[in-house]
């Protein structure tokens, strides 16, 4: 299955950036999010459709070393590379794309244009970084982009279509119209065949009933009054029976064919779920922060979350009674709220600091407790880089705890990369998120 690069790019366009963009452009966060949701598949689709152009591959290669991911709100809007790239992939349709996104999301045309540059910068920057991490050359980048053609159209938000951008599906996805015509023609042939077969069977059934009637009538003169009403009834029953059998047969055939086609489509178009061939799971119950009692001080956290579990363990006396570190090393507590921006070991997502403050409070309440910090990544990307990144993130958290005055209680910070990752690299970004985490355990 092909990698869905949109899942990677979304990591650069998280809540923190949406909030900053809304403030900078004077728009609502919901409008910014909606605009980004429409622009992202459009930009990826544009790149996919022009994957063989040297200028497209060159722009992606340059982006990996330009630092554009570190300055999306500033660098993208003024970058000539981005402007030239948009002209190359959309031509004179750039204006139509901006207008459609502005109408769809409720932001101004100016904001939509700036967001188009921002999303394009995030896209080429992310793909460029992925290519560099995985040693992809020009042909590898082109192949990766080609793989996105079967994905992007299904990811457009409701209310948007390629046609609304002035981009016809037949121009982006090759044989789409031919496939539809073929399917339609096949369906027509199947229906016509079913009707003809049903009609033939009904006629045959009626002929058989009529012959039996004539034979009986010849042998039973004077009993014809019964057949005046019995004959129509028998004909009706025969017709209904054969129609029912034919419909049942045709329905079974159609269902089997449709299922097979869906499976084939899924194999060709899904990414890591990943994203499209499997049944949609039931939405999980949303977690909400509750008051967690820390010796009379109320911390905000999930019931059964990191803080709750750590406090319960410490109050139970199990830490004090642990003979050595070996008795503690298998129990890790995952951070519920601490998340780093994609590719960064120094920038936290909004809402992360509160849980770090909670950890500081717990350590101060139990000064004898010692901990170890662990960083983890998913299975995508270069493993050496993953280990380096996860280690740097663990060290960042350790430094934050040192600054808060509890550094003596932090014995170690280690990065494990994808060593303990369980989700396959081809799974969706949402599924792989379970492997990208920071955690803490008690230590001695």
């Amino acid at each position: 299955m092909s990698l869905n690069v949109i899942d990677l790019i979304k990591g650069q366009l998280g809540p923190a950036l949406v909030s900053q963009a809304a403030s900078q452009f004077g728009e609502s966060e919901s409008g910014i999010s909606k605009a980004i949701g429409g622009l992202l598949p459009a930009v990826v689709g544009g790149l996919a459709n022009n994957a063989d152009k040297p200028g497209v591959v060159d722009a992606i290669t340059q982006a990996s070393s330009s630092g554009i991911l570190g300055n999306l709100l500033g660098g993208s809007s003024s970058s000539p590379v981005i402007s030239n790239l948009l002209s190359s992939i959309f031509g004179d349709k750039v204006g139509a794309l901006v207008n459609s996104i502005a109408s769809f999301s409720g932001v101004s045309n100016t904001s939509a244009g700036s967001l188009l540059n921002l999303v394009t910068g995030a896209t080429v920057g992310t793909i460029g970084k992925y290519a560099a991490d995985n040693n992809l050359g020009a042909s590898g980048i082109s192949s990766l982009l080609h793989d996105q053609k079967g994905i992007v159209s299904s990811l457009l938000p409701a209310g948007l279509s390629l046609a609304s951008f002035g981009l016809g599906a037949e121009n982006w996805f090759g044989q789409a119209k031919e496939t539809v015509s073929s399917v339609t023609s096949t369906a027509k042939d199947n229906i016509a065949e079913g009707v003809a077969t049903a009609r033939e069977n009904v006629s045959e059934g009626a002929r058989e009933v009529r012959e039996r009637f004539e034979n009986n009538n010849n042998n039973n003169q004077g009993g014809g009054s019964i057949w005046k009403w019995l004959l129509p009834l028998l004909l009706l029953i025969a017709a209904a029976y054969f129609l029912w059998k034919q419909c049942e047969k045709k329905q079974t055939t159609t269902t089997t064919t449709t299922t097979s086609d869906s499976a084939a489509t899924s194999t060709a178009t899904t990414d890591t779920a990943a994203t499209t061939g499997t049944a949609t799971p039931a939405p999980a119950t949303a977690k909400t922060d509750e008051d967690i009692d820390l010796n009379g001080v109320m911390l905000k956290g999930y019931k059964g979350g990191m803080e709750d579990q750590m406090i319960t363990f410490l109050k139970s006396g199990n830490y004090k009674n642990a003979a050595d570190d070996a008795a503690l090393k298998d129990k890790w507590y995952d951070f519920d709220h601490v998340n780093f921006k994609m590719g960064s070991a120094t920038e936290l997502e909004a809402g992360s600091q509160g849980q770090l403050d909670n950890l500081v409070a717990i350590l101060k309440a139990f000064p004898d407790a010692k901990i170890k910090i662990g960083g983890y990544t998913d299975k995508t990307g270069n493993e050496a880089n993953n280990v380096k990144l996860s280690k740097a993130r663990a060290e960042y958290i350790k430094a934050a705890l040192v600054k808060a005055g509890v550094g003596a209680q932090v014995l170690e910070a280690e990065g494990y990369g994808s060593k303990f990752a369980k989700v396959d690299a081809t799974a969706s970004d949402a599924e792989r998120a379970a492997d990208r985490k920071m955690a803490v355990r008690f230590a001695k």
Side-chain angles (χ1 to χ4, degrees):
M1 291 184 292
S2 59
L3 172 71
N4 184 348
V5 300
I6 288 181
D7 285 337
L8 297 179
I9 302 163
K10 285 179 179 177
Q12 297 292 336
L13 304 171
L17 183 136
V18 169
S19 179
Q20 294 172 20
S23 176
Q24 181 170 320
F25 300 150
E27 305 283 359
S28 68
E29 291 189 14
S30 61
I32 296 294
S33 294
K34 200 171 182 181
I36 289 176
L39 285 167
L40 185 51
V43 171
V44 173
L47 291 172
N49 195 46
N50 294 274
D52 296 324
K53 289 185 178 180
V56 170
V57 176
D58 289 345
I60 292 173
T61 304
Q62 293 173 24
S64 65
S65 58
S66 67
I68 195 169
L69 289 178
N71 187 27
L72 288 175
L73 281 169
S76 298
S77 60
S78 58
S79 171
V81 174
I82 299 300
S83 300
N84 293 336
L85 179 60
L86 287 172
S87 296
S88 176
I89 62 178
F90 292 118
D92 60 359
K93 304 296 184 182
V94 173
L97 174 59
V98 170
N99 290 338
S100 295
I101 292 296
S103 299
F104 169 71
S105 63
V107 304
S108 68
N109 277 40
T110 300
S111 296
S114 297
L115 288 171
L116 174 57
N117 289 343
L118 183 152
V119 170
T120 304
T123 299
V124 296
T126 301
I127 297 175
K129 182 179 183 303
Y130 178 85
D133 289 346
N134 292 274
N135 299 316
L136 297 183
S139 61
I141 294 174
S142 293
S143 177
L144 177 62
L145 292 176
H146 276 302
D147 288 343
Q148 309 309 305
K149 285 189 175 183
I151 299 172
V152 291
S153 62
S154 64
L155 297 179
L156 284 169
L160 279 182
S161 65
L162 296 176
S164 66
F165 301 149
L167 303 167
E170 68 276 8
N171 295 325
W172 279 36
F173 307 116
Q175 298 177 332
K177 289 176 71 177
E178 180 180 344
T179 301
V180 171
S181 297
S182 176
V183 171
T184 302
S185 176
T186 301
K188 286 181 178 178
D189 290 344
N190 287 340
I191 292 171
E193 179 185 349
V195 171
T197 303
R199 186 164 50 227
E200 180 180 343
N201 286 332
V202 170
S203 298
E204 181 64 28
R207 184 163 54 251
E208 181 179 349
V209 171
R210 187 169 61 250
E211 289 174 355
R212 291 183 180 181
F213 161 70
E214 290 173 350
N215 290 336
N216 287 334
N217 196 37
N218 290 333
N219 295 330
N220 296 283
Q221 295 296 329
S225 59
I226 296 177
W227 290 103
K228 290 180 181 179
W229 60 267
L230 185 58
L231 177 59
L233 178 61
L234 290 174
L235 288 172
L236 182 60
I237 292 173
Y241 173 76
F242 284 110
L243 279 174
W244 173 70
K245 293 299 290 182
Q246 285 303 311
C247 288
E248 182 183 55
K249 178 181 176 182
K250 193 57 63 180
Q251 182 179 22
T252 302
T253 304
T254 303
T255 301
T256 303
T257 303
T258 302
T259 303
S260 176
D261 289 346
S262 297
T265 302
S266 173
T267 302
T269 63
T270 53
D271 133 50
T272 67
T275 50
T276 316
T278 57
T280 302
T285 303
K287 292 183 177 180
T288 56
D289 284 337
E290 301 180 22
D291 287 335
I292 307 298
D293 184 11
L294 175 62
N295 299 335
V297 176
M298 294 301 165
L299 306 180
K300 287 294 184 182
Y302 294 150
K303 190 68 176 176
M306 187 192 81
E307 295 93 336
D308 193 17
Q309 292 186 60
M310 292 182 72
I311 293 170
T312 299
F313 182 81
L314 289 168
K315 286 183 176 180
S316 71
N318 288 337
Y319 177 78
K320 184 182 297 184
N321 297 330
D324 52 27
D325 191 64
L328 301 166
K329 67 184 182 69
D330 293 329
K331 177 59 178 175
W332 287 85
Y333 304 90
D334 295 344
F335 283 94
D336 306 300
H337 293 301
V338 175
N339 296 292
F340 286 84
K341 292 184 178 179
M342 183 178 179
S344 174
T346 58
E347 292 184 276
L348 293 171
E349 289 281 3
S352 298
Q353 187 59 47
Q355 191 157 45
L356 290 180
D357 293 340
N358 286 349
L359 180 56
V360 171
I362 293 171
L363 293 175
K364 287 184 175 180
F366 295 91
D368 293 332
K370 305 292 192 297
I371 63 169
K372 177 179 178 178
I373 305 295
Y376 306 84
T377 69
D378 61 26
K379 293 183 178 181
T380 61
N382 178 273
E383 182 60 13
N385 291 338
N386 285 342
V387 172
K388 181 180 179 181
L389 178 63
S390 59
K391 171 71 171 176
R393 288 175 170 176
E395 291 287 358
Y396 179 89
I397 291 179
K398 179 180 178 180
L401 297 178
V402 170
K403 186 176 180 180
V406 293
Q409 292 173 257
V410 185
L411 300 184
E412 189 179 357
E414 187 170 353
Y416 298 99
S418 65
K419 180 178 179 180
F420 298 102
K422 298 179 181 179
V423 182
D424 193 83
T426 58
S428 69
D429 184 69
E431 291 173 306
R432 288 185 281 105
D435 289 332
R436 299 193 300 269
K437 62 187 178 183
M438 303 303 298
V440 58
R441 75 167 176 87
F442 290 110
K444 283 194 172 182

